[in-house]
């Protein structure tokens, strides 16, 4: 099992096109760990904002009576992919991994595969 810092570093190192990653608590909106981003991309703000995305989707699913679990949420921009992966393992309730990918360099299918693997190894 890998700790948060190790897992975030692995995301940036092993996922082609990854530019930023965060572990976020969507009950509070707080990022528990971040790596990447920069002066032009405030990862703390992005993590908090994507908390609203997760909460909204969960609320909508509840209103629709959908008895499903969210695997991930994908937001595509002109030059980036934003991938939100809700954690399922022990200790993962209320948490998600947020990954930002450079659209020109990333392979979305491989990024999803790698993120699932990293999630399985993450010790929260």
């Amino acid at each position: 099992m890998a700790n948060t810092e190790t897992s975030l570093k692995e995301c940036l190192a092993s996922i082609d096109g990854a530019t930023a990653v965060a572990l976020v608590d969507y009950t509070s909106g707080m990022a528990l760990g971040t790596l990447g981003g920069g002066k032009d991309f405030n990862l703390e703000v992005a993590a908090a904002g994507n908390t609203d995305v997760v909460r909204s989707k969960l609320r909508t699913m509840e209103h629709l009576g959908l008895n499903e679990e969210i695997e991930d949420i994908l937001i595509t921009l002109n030059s980036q992919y934003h991938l939100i992966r809700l954690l399922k393992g022990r200790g993962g309730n209320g948490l998600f991994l947020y990954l930002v990918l450079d659209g020109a360099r990333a392979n979305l299918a491989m990024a999803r595969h790698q993120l699932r693997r990293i999630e399985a190894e993450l010790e929260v």
Side-chain angles (χ1 to χ4, degrees):
M1 292 294 195
N3 68 22
T4 301
E5 183 180 349
T6 302
S7 293
L8 296 180
K9 285 180 181 177
E10 186 176 349
C11 279
L12 286 187
S14 69
I15 299 176
D16 288 339
T19 60
V21 63
L23 177 64
V24 184
D25 177 346
Y26 65 80
T27 59
S28 69
M30 296 290 296
L32 305 177
T34 62
L35 195 59
K39 64 178 175 74
D40 295 330
F41 188 85
N42 186 324
L43 196 48
E44 297 283 339
V45 171
N50 281 297
T51 293
D52 293 336
V53 171
V54 170
R55 288 178 186 163
S56 179
K57 186 59 186 172
L58 289 170
R59 191 171 41 253
T60 300
M61 289 173 58
E62 182 180 341
H63 291 316
L64 292 171
L66 297 176
N67 191 19
E68 299 279 338
E69 290 184 351
I70 298 171
E71 283 188 32
D72 51 42
I73 298 169
L74 173 63
I75 300 167
T76 57
L77 305 177
N78 291 339
S79 64
Q80 298 176 341
Y81 299 124
H82 292 227
L83 189 58
I84 300 167
R85 174 135 190 112
L86 276 69
L87 302 187
K88 306 278 190 286
R90 22 173 240 276
N93 193 25
L95 301 178
F96 67 87
L97 282 168
Y98 170 59
L99 179 65
V100 179
L101 300 160
D102 178 335
R105 297 183 311 140
N107 177 323
L108 187 55
M110 285 303 295
R112 290 183 71 218
H113 174 73
Q114 289 289 93
L115 204 54
R116 275 193 299 273
R117 184 186 55 75
I118 291 166
E119 173 197 4
E121 296 171 1
L122 179 63
E123 181 70 35
V124 182

